[in-house]
């Protein structure tokens, strides 16, 4: 494979506004209940009271998640019709809708639940990294819509050189085996110390 395109998420500044999710939903004209990008919220902590003073140790952070076009995508291996494939020139994991039989096995094995069932045509669909926009030299819809500019994209190895190789934070499933193609700059409360 010549390169691996990836998302970059500066999670520490994400406000959970859902602009990326809405832009994606609008661009792909997705029906109710189908989202190629989802915003996951995590909160926790506690507080104690000592006399008249309240000491808090609470936190909240958000993670915008879509298909991460994993290096070793488990969805490819379980697809009985071979409809899911990894494009060699950029590493994108795509679905050939003509070959898809809508069995939903890809959804079952994806830790991000990225593949979505389209009841209207009985096929699976997912983030395709807005490949039509990339071909025009434009950023994916979710990246362009982020008002905080916490979403970005680029070649995985270049993003890792610039931002590090963190691809997991508290709240996400363990994905070490599939090697998600994304780089996270975590929120201070999203990492184990």
């Amino acid at each position: 494979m010549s390169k691996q395109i990836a998302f970059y998420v500066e999670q520490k500044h994400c406000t959970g506004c859902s602009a990326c999710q809405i832009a994606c939903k609008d661009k792909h004209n997705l029906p109710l209940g189908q989202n190629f990008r989802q915003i996951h919220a995590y909160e926790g902590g506690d507080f104690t009271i000592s006399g008249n003073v309240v000491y808090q140790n609470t936190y909240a952070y958000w993670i915008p998640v879509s298909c991460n076009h994993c290096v070793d995508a488990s969805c490819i291996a379980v697809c009985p019709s071979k409809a899911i494939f990894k494009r060699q020139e950029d590493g994108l994991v795509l679905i050939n809708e003509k070959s898809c039989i809508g069995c939903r096995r890809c959804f079952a094995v994806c830790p991000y639940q990225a593949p979505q069932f389209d009841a209207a045509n009985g096929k699976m669909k997912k983030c395709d990294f807005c490949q039509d926009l990339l071909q025009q030299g434009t950023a994916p819809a979710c990246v362009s819509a982020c008002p905080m500019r916490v979403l970005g994209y680029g070649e995985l190895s270049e993003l890792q050189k610039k931002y590090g190789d963190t691809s997991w934070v508290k709240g996400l499933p363990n994905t070490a085996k599939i090697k998600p193609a994304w780089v996270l700059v975590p929120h201070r409360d999203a990492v184990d110390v």
Side-chain angles (χ1 to χ4, degrees):
M1 182 170 26
S2 58
K3 68 177 183 176
Q4 173 68 59
I5 198 166
F7 283 113
Y8 155 72
V9 180
E10 194 169 351
Q11 181 206 11
K12 63 182 182 175
H13 295 302
C14 179
T15 62
C17 73
S18 297
C20 56
Q21 182 180 25
I22 295 165
C24 176
K25 193 167 186 72
D26 181 57
K27 184 202 180 297
H28 296 286
N29 197 26
L30 299 176
L32 184 65
Q34 194 175 29
N35 295 300
F36 292 168
R37 181 165 288 280
Q38 300 174 35
I39 309 301
H40 298 282
Y42 299 95
E43 61 277 322
D46 58 11
F47 65 92
T48 57
I49 300 173
S50 178
N52 292 331
V53 179
V54 176
Y55 298 95
Q56 67 87 19
N57 182 27
T58 58
Y59 63 87
Y61 59 87
W62 298 267
I63 307 172
V65 177
S66 69
C67 175
N68 289 310
H69 303 274
C70 299
V71 174
D72 295 321
S74 55
C75 57
I76 294 172
V78 301
C79 182
S81 65
K82 307 293 183 218
I84 302 178
F85 64 98
K86 189 162 195 65
R87 195 162 69 182
Q88 290 302 305
E89 65 264 23
D90 53 18
L92 293 182
V93 176
L94 302 171
I95 299 176
N96 178 343
E97 284 190 42
K98 292 178 183 173
S99 301
C100 178
I101 59 174
C103 69
R104 304 180 200 183
R105 289 182 187 174
C106 53
F107 176 82
V109 300
C110 177
Y112 303 106
Q113 300 182 331
Q116 303 281 302
F117 183 71
D118 184 352
N121 68 8
K123 308 280 184 176
M124 298 304 289
K125 293 184 176 181
K126 64 174 212 54
C127 166
D128 65 358
F129 223 105
C130 291
Q131 56 182 323
D132 58 330
L133 296 178
L134 290 179
Q135 289 172 352
Q136 298 170 19
T138 305
C142 59
V143 172
S144 296
C146 180
M148 299 299 291
R149 299 296 176 240
V150 301
L151 281 176
Y153 73 101
E155 208 284 314
L156 180 60
S157 63
E158 292 173 19
L159 292 172
Q160 289 173 331
K161 285 178 195 170
K162 188 172 181 179
Y163 302 108
D165 61 359
T166 300
S167 63
W168 180 88
V169 293
K170 286 191 300 189
L172 290 175
N174 184 342
T175 55
K177 289 183 181 178
I178 59 173
K179 300 180 194 119
W182 72 337
V183 174
L184 298 170
V185 175
H187 184 278
R188 68 179 179 267
D189 295 311
V191 292
D192 289 322
V193 181

